[in-house]
Amino acid sequence: MVEDRHEVKVEILINELLAERKMSLRELARLSGIEPSNLSNLANGKRKRIYLEHIERIADALEIDDIEKIIRLERRF
């Protein structure tokens, strides 16, 4: 049996969420308790690891209850 492997890229939609709300990264940092540099790295895809706690804090700060509004999965074949 041949195993089919696909690479999955996880994208955090911080920039889109902030633009929709006309909110700054610093304001999100203040509301979420996440360092602005960590949010910036998440927003720009520079983080190798994404912590569930950060996603939860972002969701709480932006009053989001659907994770699909925060995360996009891109499958590469």
Side-chain angles (χ1 to χ4, degrees), residues 38-66:
N38 287 334
L39 286 173
S40 178
N41 287 336
L42 279 172
N44 296 314
K46 294 183 180 178
R47 296 282 313 239
K48 297 264 186 212
R49 288 200 172 134
I50 300 170
Y51 297 105
L52 183 57
E53 180 182 356
H54 285 174
I55 301 304
E56 290 170 344
R57 289 168 146 191
I58 292 166
D60 286 344
L62 299 177
E63 299 178 354
I64 294 173
D65 58 5
D66 182 356

PDB file of all heavy atoms in Angstrom, residues 38-66:
ATOM      1  N   ASN A  38       4.863  38.304  18.907  1.00  0.00           N
ATOM      2  CA  ASN A  38       4.321  36.964  18.645  1.00  0.00           C
ATOM      3  C   ASN A  38       3.137  37.032  17.692  1.00  0.00           C
ATOM      4  O   ASN A  38       3.009  36.201  16.791  1.00  0.00           O
ATOM      5  CB  ASN A  38       3.911  36.274  19.942  1.00  0.00           C
ATOM      6  CG  ASN A  38       5.100  35.821  20.750  1.00  0.00           C
ATOM      7  OD1 ASN A  38       6.164  35.568  20.219  1.00  0.00           O
ATOM      8  ND2 ASN A  38       4.928  35.727  22.048  1.00  0.00           N
ATOM      9  N   LEU A  39       2.262  38.023  17.878  1.00  0.00           N
ATOM     10  CA  LEU A  39       1.128  38.193  16.963  1.00  0.00           C
ATOM     11  C   LEU A  39       1.612  38.513  15.553  1.00  0.00           C
ATOM     12  O   LEU A  39       1.081  37.992  14.574  1.00  0.00           O
ATOM     13  CB  LEU A  39       0.195  39.294  17.464  1.00  0.00           C
ATOM     14  CG  LEU A  39      -0.670  38.944  18.664  1.00  0.00           C
ATOM     15  CD1 LEU A  39      -1.418  40.176  19.151  1.00  0.00           C
ATOM     16  CD2 LEU A  39      -1.641  37.821  18.339  1.00  0.00           C
ATOM     17  N   SER A  40       2.607  39.358  15.457  1.00  0.00           N
ATOM     18  CA  SER A  40       3.164  39.727  14.159  1.00  0.00           C
ATOM     19  C   SER A  40       3.730  38.499  13.447  1.00  0.00           C
ATOM     20  O   SER A  40       3.490  38.293  12.248  1.00  0.00           O
ATOM     21  CB  SER A  40       4.244  40.784  14.325  1.00  0.00           C
ATOM     22  OG  SER A  40       4.811  41.119  13.086  1.00  0.00           O
ATOM     23  N   ASN A  41       4.468  37.680  14.189  1.00  0.00           N
ATOM     24  CA  ASN A  41       5.024  36.460  13.598  1.00  0.00           C
ATOM     25  C   ASN A  41       3.925  35.498  13.162  1.00  0.00           C
ATOM     26  O   ASN A  41       4.038  34.858  12.110  1.00  0.00           O
ATOM     27  CB  ASN A  41       5.978  35.780  14.578  1.00  0.00           C
ATOM     28  CG  ASN A  41       7.279  36.537  14.716  1.00  0.00           C
ATOM     29  OD1 ASN A  41       7.685  37.275  13.831  1.00  0.00           O
ATOM     30  ND2 ASN A  41       7.940  36.356  15.842  1.00  0.00           N
ATOM     31  N   LEU A  42       2.870  35.379  13.946  1.00  0.00           N
ATOM     32  CA  LEU A  42       1.727  34.539  13.556  1.00  0.00           C
ATOM     33  C   LEU A  42       1.068  35.090  12.294  1.00  0.00           C
ATOM     34  O   LEU A  42       0.753  34.348  11.361  1.00  0.00           O
ATOM     35  CB  LEU A  42       0.688  34.487  14.672  1.00  0.00           C
ATOM     36  CG  LEU A  42       0.938  33.534  15.820  1.00  0.00           C
ATOM     37  CD1 LEU A  42      -0.085  33.766  16.931  1.00  0.00           C
ATOM     38  CD2 LEU A  42       0.887  32.099  15.352  1.00  0.00           C
ATOM     39  N   ALA A  43       0.868  36.400  12.260  1.00  0.00           N
ATOM     40  CA  ALA A  43       0.192  37.041  11.135  1.00  0.00           C
ATOM     41  C   ALA A  43       0.992  36.910   9.839  1.00  0.00           C
ATOM     42  O   ALA A  43       0.412  36.816   8.756  1.00  0.00           O
ATOM     43  CB  ALA A  43      -0.053  38.516  11.449  1.00  0.00           C
ATOM     44  N   ASN A  44       2.309  36.892   9.962  1.00  0.00           N
ATOM     45  CA  ASN A  44       3.171  36.848   8.780  1.00  0.00           C
ATOM     46  C   ASN A  44       3.691  35.453   8.453  1.00  0.00           C
ATOM     47  O   ASN A  44       4.564  35.304   7.604  1.00  0.00           O
ATOM     48  CB  ASN A  44       4.328  37.827   8.956  1.00  0.00           C
ATOM     49  CG  ASN A  44       3.834  39.243   9.028  1.00  0.00           C
ATOM     50  OD1 ASN A  44       3.002  39.656   8.228  1.00  0.00           O
ATOM     51  ND2 ASN A  44       4.300  40.007  10.000  1.00  0.00           N
ATOM     52  N   GLY A  45       3.167  34.445   9.152  1.00  0.00           N
ATOM     53  CA  GLY A  45       3.550  33.068   8.865  1.00  0.00           C
ATOM     54  C   GLY A  45       4.961  32.711   9.247  1.00  0.00           C
ATOM     55  O   GLY A  45       5.550  31.785   8.694  1.00  0.00           O
ATOM     56  N   LYS A  46       5.536  33.431  10.191  1.00  0.00           N
ATOM     57  CA  LYS A  46       6.925  33.195  10.583  1.00  0.00           C
ATOM     58  C   LYS A  46       7.075  32.237  11.759  1.00  0.00           C
ATOM     59  O   LYS A  46       8.182  31.902  12.131  1.00  0.00           O
ATOM     60  CB  LYS A  46       7.604  34.519  10.920  1.00  0.00           C
ATOM     61  CG  LYS A  46       7.748  35.420   9.717  1.00  0.00           C
ATOM     62  CD  LYS A  46       8.466  36.676  10.051  1.00  0.00           C
ATOM     63  CE  LYS A  46       8.594  37.566   8.827  1.00  0.00           C
ATOM     64  NZ  LYS A  46       9.248  38.828   9.144  1.00  0.00           N
ATOM     65  N   ARG A  47       5.958  31.802  12.329  1.00  0.00           N
ATOM     66  CA  ARG A  47       6.017  30.869  13.458  1.00  0.00           C
ATOM     67  C   ARG A  47       5.947  29.436  12.942  1.00  0.00           C
ATOM     68  O   ARG A  47       5.103  29.119  12.123  1.00  0.00           O
ATOM     69  CB  ARG A  47       4.836  31.090  14.415  1.00  0.00           C
ATOM     70  CG  ARG A  47       4.770  32.405  15.113  1.00  0.00           C
ATOM     71  CD  ARG A  47       5.698  32.557  16.282  1.00  0.00           C
ATOM     72  NE  ARG A  47       5.693  31.442  17.204  1.00  0.00           N
ATOM     73  CZ  ARG A  47       5.393  31.537  18.475  1.00  0.00           C
ATOM     74  NH1 ARG A  47       5.033  32.683  18.993  1.00  0.00           N
ATOM     75  NH2 ARG A  47       5.466  30.486  19.251  1.00  0.00           N
ATOM     76  N   LYS A  48       6.821  28.590  13.450  1.00  0.00           N
ATOM     77  CA  LYS A  48       6.790  27.165  13.104  1.00  0.00           C
ATOM     78  C   LYS A  48       5.759  26.439  13.957  1.00  0.00           C
ATOM     79  O   LYS A  48       5.125  25.499  13.514  1.00  0.00           O
ATOM     80  CB  LYS A  48       8.163  26.536  13.329  1.00  0.00           C
ATOM     81  CG  LYS A  48       9.229  27.121  12.444  1.00  0.00           C
ATOM     82  CD  LYS A  48       9.410  26.281  11.235  1.00  0.00           C
ATOM     83  CE  LYS A  48      10.585  26.833  10.445  1.00  0.00           C
ATOM     84  NZ  LYS A  48      10.440  26.643   9.058  1.00  0.00           N
ATOM     85  N   ARG A  49       5.615  26.908  15.203  1.00  0.00           N
ATOM     86  CA  ARG A  49       4.654  26.296  16.124  1.00  0.00           C
ATOM     87  C   ARG A  49       3.548  27.290  16.424  1.00  0.00           C
ATOM     88  O   ARG A  49       3.803  28.459  16.661  1.00  0.00           O
ATOM     89  CB  ARG A  49       5.337  25.922  17.435  1.00  0.00           C
ATOM     90  CG  ARG A  49       6.244  24.769  17.295  1.00  0.00           C
ATOM     91  CD  ARG A  49       6.510  24.150  18.637  1.00  0.00           C
ATOM     92  NE  ARG A  49       7.244  22.926  18.430  1.00  0.00           N
ATOM     93  CZ  ARG A  49       8.300  22.581  19.124  1.00  0.00           C
ATOM     94  NH1 ARG A  49       8.731  23.347  20.082  1.00  0.00           N
ATOM     95  NH2 ARG A  49       8.913  21.456  18.856  1.00  0.00           N
ATOM     96  N   ILE A  50       2.348  26.773  16.444  1.00  0.00           N
ATOM     97  CA  ILE A  50       1.191  27.596  16.782  1.00  0.00           C
ATOM     98  C   ILE A  50       0.568  26.994  18.029  1.00  0.00           C
ATOM     99  O   ILE A  50       0.221  25.815  18.053  1.00  0.00           O
ATOM    100  CB  ILE A  50       0.165  27.608  15.627  1.00  0.00           C
ATOM    101  CG1 ILE A  50       0.821  28.176  14.376  1.00  0.00           C
ATOM    102  CG2 ILE A  50      -1.065  28.403  16.021  1.00  0.00           C
ATOM    103  CD1 ILE A  50      -0.001  28.021  13.129  1.00  0.00           C
ATOM    104  N   TYR A  51       0.467  27.803  19.068  1.00  0.00           N
ATOM    105  CA  TYR A  51      -0.067  27.323  20.333  1.00  0.00           C
ATOM    106  C   TYR A  51      -1.576  27.512  20.379  1.00  0.00           C
ATOM    107  O   TYR A  51      -2.082  28.590  20.068  1.00  0.00           O
ATOM    108  CB  TYR A  51       0.594  28.056  21.501  1.00  0.00           C
ATOM    109  CG  TYR A  51       2.075  27.798  21.571  1.00  0.00           C
ATOM    110  CD1 TYR A  51       2.995  28.763  21.168  1.00  0.00           C
ATOM    111  CD2 TYR A  51       2.557  26.577  22.022  1.00  0.00           C
ATOM    112  CE1 TYR A  51       4.350  28.521  21.215  1.00  0.00           C
ATOM    113  CE2 TYR A  51       3.910  26.323  22.071  1.00  0.00           C
ATOM    114  CZ  TYR A  51       4.810  27.293  21.672  1.00  0.00           C
ATOM    115  OH  TYR A  51       6.150  27.041  21.713  1.00  0.00           O
ATOM    116  N   LEU A  52      -2.278  26.452  20.779  1.00  0.00           N
ATOM    117  CA  LEU A  52      -3.726  26.497  20.890  1.00  0.00           C
ATOM    118  C   LEU A  52      -4.161  27.621  21.830  1.00  0.00           C
ATOM    119  O   LEU A  52      -5.151  28.304  21.579  1.00  0.00           O
ATOM    120  CB  LEU A  52      -4.269  25.149  21.362  1.00  0.00           C
ATOM    121  CG  LEU A  52      -5.779  25.033  21.449  1.00  0.00           C
ATOM    122  CD1 LEU A  52      -6.430  25.342  20.109  1.00  0.00           C
ATOM    123  CD2 LEU A  52      -6.179  23.654  21.930  1.00  0.00           C
ATOM    124  N   GLU A  53      -3.405  27.853  22.883  1.00  0.00           N
ATOM    125  CA  GLU A  53      -3.738  28.921  23.822  1.00  0.00           C
ATOM    126  C   GLU A  53      -3.771  30.284  23.115  1.00  0.00           C
ATOM    127  O   GLU A  53      -4.637  31.114  23.395  1.00  0.00           O
ATOM    128  CB  GLU A  53      -2.739  28.970  24.974  1.00  0.00           C
ATOM    129  CG  GLU A  53      -3.054  30.058  25.982  1.00  0.00           C
ATOM    130  CD  GLU A  53      -2.035  30.149  27.101  1.00  0.00           C
ATOM    131  OE1 GLU A  53      -1.107  29.338  27.162  1.00  0.00           O
ATOM    132  OE2 GLU A  53      -2.180  31.080  27.912  1.00  0.00           O
ATOM    133  N   HIS A  54      -2.862  30.506  22.187  1.00  0.00           N
ATOM    134  CA  HIS A  54      -2.859  31.777  21.440  1.00  0.00           C
ATOM    135  C   HIS A  54      -4.120  31.900  20.588  1.00  0.00           C
ATOM    136  O   HIS A  54      -4.726  32.971  20.528  1.00  0.00           O
ATOM    137  CB  HIS A  54      -1.613  31.890  20.567  1.00  0.00           C
ATOM    138  CG  HIS A  54      -0.380  32.212  21.337  1.00  0.00           C
ATOM    139  ND1 HIS A  54       0.859  32.246  20.753  1.00  0.00           N
ATOM    140  CD2 HIS A  54      -0.190  32.521  22.635  1.00  0.00           C
ATOM    141  CE1 HIS A  54       1.772  32.562  21.674  1.00  0.00           C
ATOM    142  NE2 HIS A  54       1.145  32.724  22.813  1.00  0.00           N
ATOM    143  N   ILE A  55      -4.506  30.805  19.940  1.00  0.00           N
ATOM    144  CA  ILE A  55      -5.722  30.822  19.120  1.00  0.00           C
ATOM    145  C   ILE A  55      -6.934  31.121  20.003  1.00  0.00           C
ATOM    146  O   ILE A  55      -7.805  31.913  19.638  1.00  0.00           O
ATOM    147  CB  ILE A  55      -5.905  29.483  18.370  1.00  0.00           C
ATOM    148  CG1 ILE A  55      -4.707  29.196  17.462  1.00  0.00           C
ATOM    149  CG2 ILE A  55      -7.210  29.484  17.575  1.00  0.00           C
ATOM    150  CD1 ILE A  55      -4.391  30.256  16.451  1.00  0.00           C
ATOM    151  N   GLU A  56      -6.979  30.491  21.164  1.00  0.00           N
ATOM    152  CA  GLU A  56      -8.087  30.719  22.097  1.00  0.00           C
ATOM    153  C   GLU A  56      -8.131  32.172  22.553  1.00  0.00           C
ATOM    154  O   GLU A  56      -9.201  32.781  22.620  1.00  0.00           O
ATOM    155  CB  GLU A  56      -7.953  29.797  23.310  1.00  0.00           C
ATOM    156  CG  GLU A  56      -8.204  28.346  22.983  1.00  0.00           C
ATOM    157  CD  GLU A  56      -7.845  27.405  24.120  1.00  0.00           C
ATOM    158  OE1 GLU A  56      -7.120  27.807  25.055  1.00  0.00           O
ATOM    159  OE2 GLU A  56      -8.294  26.248  24.075  1.00  0.00           O
ATOM    160  N   ARG A  57      -6.972  32.749  22.859  1.00  0.00           N
ATOM    161  CA  ARG A  57      -6.927  34.142  23.315  1.00  0.00           C
ATOM    162  C   ARG A  57      -7.343  35.111  22.217  1.00  0.00           C
ATOM    163  O   ARG A  57      -8.030  36.094  22.464  1.00  0.00           O
ATOM    164  CB  ARG A  57      -5.525  34.493  23.800  1.00  0.00           C
ATOM    165  CG  ARG A  57      -5.165  33.838  25.099  1.00  0.00           C
ATOM    166  CD  ARG A  57      -3.701  34.019  25.328  1.00  0.00           C
ATOM    167  NE  ARG A  57      -3.390  34.163  26.724  1.00  0.00           N
ATOM    168  CZ  ARG A  57      -2.213  34.542  27.171  1.00  0.00           C
ATOM    169  NH1 ARG A  57      -1.235  34.820  26.329  1.00  0.00           N
ATOM    170  NH2 ARG A  57      -1.980  34.643  28.460  1.00  0.00           N
ATOM    171  N   ILE A  58      -6.912  34.826  20.982  1.00  0.00           N
ATOM    172  CA  ILE A  58      -7.304  35.663  19.846  1.00  0.00           C
ATOM    173  C   ILE A  58      -8.817  35.569  19.654  1.00  0.00           C
ATOM    174  O   ILE A  58      -9.492  36.587  19.466  1.00  0.00           O
ATOM    175  CB  ILE A  58      -6.540  35.244  18.564  1.00  0.00           C
ATOM    176  CG1 ILE A  58      -5.055  35.583  18.711  1.00  0.00           C
ATOM    177  CG2 ILE A  58      -7.145  35.906  17.337  1.00  0.00           C
ATOM    178  CD1 ILE A  58      -4.164  34.925  17.671  1.00  0.00           C
ATOM    179  N   ALA A  59      -9.350  34.354  19.702  1.00  0.00           N
ATOM    180  CA  ALA A  59     -10.798  34.151  19.543  1.00  0.00           C
ATOM    181  C   ALA A  59     -11.569  34.908  20.626  1.00  0.00           C
ATOM    182  O   ALA A  59     -12.561  35.579  20.325  1.00  0.00           O
ATOM    183  CB  ALA A  59     -11.134  32.669  19.587  1.00  0.00           C
ATOM    184  N   ASP A  60     -11.113  34.818  21.863  1.00  0.00           N
ATOM    185  CA  ASP A  60     -11.778  35.533  22.955  1.00  0.00           C
ATOM    186  C   ASP A  60     -11.714  37.040  22.745  1.00  0.00           C
ATOM    187  O   ASP A  60     -12.709  37.743  22.903  1.00  0.00           O
ATOM    188  CB  ASP A  60     -11.156  35.178  24.308  1.00  0.00           C
ATOM    189  CG  ASP A  60     -11.539  33.793  24.789  1.00  0.00           C
ATOM    190  OD1 ASP A  60     -12.514  33.213  24.258  1.00  0.00           O
ATOM    191  OD2 ASP A  60     -10.862  33.279  25.694  1.00  0.00           O
ATOM    192  N   ALA A  61     -10.535  37.535  22.394  1.00  0.00           N
ATOM    193  CA  ALA A  61     -10.350  38.976  22.224  1.00  0.00           C
ATOM    194  C   ALA A  61     -11.221  39.534  21.101  1.00  0.00           C
ATOM    195  O   ALA A  61     -11.722  40.656  21.199  1.00  0.00           O
ATOM    196  CB  ALA A  61      -8.876  39.290  21.955  1.00  0.00           C
ATOM    197  N   LEU A  62     -11.395  38.753  20.038  1.00  0.00           N
ATOM    198  CA  LEU A  62     -12.159  39.213  18.877  1.00  0.00           C
ATOM    199  C   LEU A  62     -13.599  38.705  18.886  1.00  0.00           C
ATOM    200  O   LEU A  62     -14.336  38.924  17.923  1.00  0.00           O
ATOM    201  CB  LEU A  62     -11.451  38.779  17.588  1.00  0.00           C
ATOM    202  CG  LEU A  62     -10.048  39.338  17.388  1.00  0.00           C
ATOM    203  CD1 LEU A  62      -9.428  38.789  16.117  1.00  0.00           C
ATOM    204  CD2 LEU A  62     -10.047  40.857  17.391  1.00  0.00           C
ATOM    205  N   GLU A  63     -13.967  38.025  19.958  1.00  0.00           N
ATOM    206  CA  GLU A  63     -15.320  37.480  20.123  1.00  0.00           C
ATOM    207  C   GLU A  63     -15.716  36.593  18.937  1.00  0.00           C
ATOM    208  O   GLU A  63     -16.784  36.736  18.341  1.00  0.00           O
ATOM    209  CB  GLU A  63     -16.333  38.595  20.346  1.00  0.00           C
ATOM    210  CG  GLU A  63     -16.042  39.394  21.604  1.00  0.00           C
ATOM    211  CD  GLU A  63     -17.006  40.542  21.832  1.00  0.00           C
ATOM    212  OE1 GLU A  63     -17.847  40.813  20.957  1.00  0.00           O
ATOM    213  OE2 GLU A  63     -16.904  41.165  22.895  1.00  0.00           O
ATOM    214  N   ILE A  64     -14.831  35.651  18.634  1.00  0.00           N
ATOM    215  CA  ILE A  64     -15.043  34.712  17.542  1.00  0.00           C
ATOM    216  C   ILE A  64     -15.322  33.340  18.131  1.00  0.00           C
ATOM    217  O   ILE A  64     -14.600  32.882  19.013  1.00  0.00           O
ATOM    218  CB  ILE A  64     -13.797  34.647  16.629  1.00  0.00           C
ATOM    219  CG1 ILE A  64     -13.608  35.988  15.917  1.00  0.00           C
ATOM    220  CG2 ILE A  64     -13.908  33.505  15.631  1.00  0.00           C
ATOM    221  CD1 ILE A  64     -12.334  36.090  15.136  1.00  0.00           C
ATOM    222  N   ASP A  65     -16.351  32.673  17.625  1.00  0.00           N
ATOM    223  CA  ASP A  65     -16.665  31.337  18.131  1.00  0.00           C
ATOM    224  C   ASP A  65     -16.535  30.244  17.064  1.00  0.00           C
ATOM    225  O   ASP A  65     -16.850  29.089  17.311  1.00  0.00           O
ATOM    226  CB  ASP A  65     -18.059  31.295  18.759  1.00  0.00           C
ATOM    227  CG  ASP A  65     -19.151  31.715  17.790  1.00  0.00           C
ATOM    228  OD1 ASP A  65     -18.854  31.945  16.615  1.00  0.00           O
ATOM    229  OD2 ASP A  65     -20.304  31.817  18.235  1.00  0.00           O
ATOM    230  N   ASP A  66     -16.052  30.611  15.893  1.00  0.00           N
ATOM    231  CA  ASP A  66     -15.858  29.649  14.810  1.00  0.00           C
ATOM    232  C   ASP A  66     -14.378  29.672  14.411  1.00  0.00           C
ATOM    233  O   ASP A  66     -13.900  30.654  13.839  1.00  0.00           O
ATOM    234  CB  ASP A  66     -16.744  30.022  13.623  1.00  0.00           C
ATOM    235  CG  ASP A  66     -16.633  29.044  12.472  1.00  0.00           C
ATOM    236  OD1 ASP A  66     -15.813  28.103  12.540  1.00  0.00           O
ATOM    237  OD2 ASP A  66     -17.377  29.219  11.488  1.00  0.00           O
TER     238      ASP A  66
END
